[in-house]
C-alpha cells in the first residue's frame, strides 16, 4: 500500500537546540517575496518576554520572537519562525498546520491556550 509513497521535502520543520531555541518551518519572508512577489506577502510578528521568565532577573530573560509569513488574499501560511523557550516543541505541532496548507484564519479561529508562549501565534493581528 505505501511502497510508492515518497517524502516531500517541502515544509520540513527545523530546530536549533540553542539558548534560546529556534524553530522554523516553510519559507522565510525573503523567500516568500521572491516566490510570490512583494504585494502578496504579509507578515505577522510578536516579540515579548515569556512568562516562563517572570521570576528571573531581567539580564537573564531570553527573548521570544515569532514571525508568521502569509501569502495572498486568503493569507495562506507559508512560513512560521520561532525563537524562544518552547519553540523547539511548538514548531512540531504548527508544522503540521503549515504542511496541510492552513490559512491565517485557521490560526485566528483556534482558541489560545493560556498561559503559553505559543498562544501568541493564534492571536497575532
Amino acid at each position: 500500500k505505501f511502497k510508492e509513497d515518497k517524502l516531500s521535502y517541502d515544509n520540513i520543520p527545523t530546530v536549533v537546540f540553542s539558548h534560546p531555541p529556534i524553530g522554523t518551518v516553510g519559507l522565510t519572508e525573503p523567500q516568500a517575496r521572491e516566490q510570490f512577489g512583494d504585494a502578496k506577502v504579509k507578515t505577522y510578528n510578536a516579540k515579548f518576554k515569556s512568562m516562563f521568565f517572570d521570576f528571573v532577573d531581567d539580564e537573564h530573560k531570553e527573548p521570544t520572537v515569532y514571525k508568521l509569513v502569509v501569502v495572498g488574499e486568503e493569507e495562506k501560511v507559508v512560513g512560521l519562525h520561532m525563537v524562544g523557550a518552547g519553540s523547539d516543541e511548538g514548531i512540531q505541532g504548527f508544522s503540521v498546520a503549515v504542511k496541510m496548507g492552513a490559512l491565517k484564519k485557521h490560526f485566528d479561529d483556534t482558541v489560545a491556550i493560556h498561559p503559553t508562549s505559543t498562544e501568541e501565534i493564534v492571536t497575532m493581528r
Side-chain angles (χ1 to χ4, degrees):
K1 176 179 175 183
F2 299 109
K3 69 180 184 177
E4 298 300 317
D5 283 358
K6 302 269 191 267
L7 175 64
S8 169
Y9 289 92
D10 293 333
N11 298 320
I12 298 284
T14 303
V15 169
V16 178
F17 294 100
S18 55
H19 298 281
I22 302 165
T24 183
V25 63
L27 302 176
T28 64
E29 181 181 353
Q31 289 170 329
R33 291 187 184 286
E34 183 178 318
Q35 187 171 334
F36 298 103
D38 287 338
K40 291 187 176 181
V41 176
K42 182 175 181 180
T43 64
Y44 293 88
N45 302 278
K47 183 177 182 179
F48 57 96
K49 300 288 184 182
S50 170
M51 287 177 61
F52 180 81
F53 297 105
D54 273 0
F55 300 105
V56 176
D57 292 334
D58 283 344
E59 66 267 12
H60 299 293
K61 291 183 179 183
E62 295 177 353
T64 301
V65 182
Y66 298 150
K67 179 184 271 190
L68 195 61
V69 182
V70 301
V71 296
E73 196 172 306
E74 73 282 2
E75 293 193 319
K76 180 180 178 182
V77 179
V78 296
L80 174 60
H81 312 283
M82 306 168 67
V83 176
S87 294
D88 45 354
E89 294 283 343
I91 200 67
Q92 184 69 71
F94 284 108
S95 66
V96 174
V98 173
K99 188 90 171 169
M100 292 177 69
L103 307 179
K104 172 73 167 69
K105 181 179 180 353
H106 295 130
F107 283 55
D108 294 343
D109 290 345
T110 302
V111 174
I113 300 170
H114 182 75
T116 65
S117 292
T118 54
E119 74 182 288
E120 294 292 325
I121 293 171
V122 298
T123 60
M124 289 183 179
R125 300 287 183 249

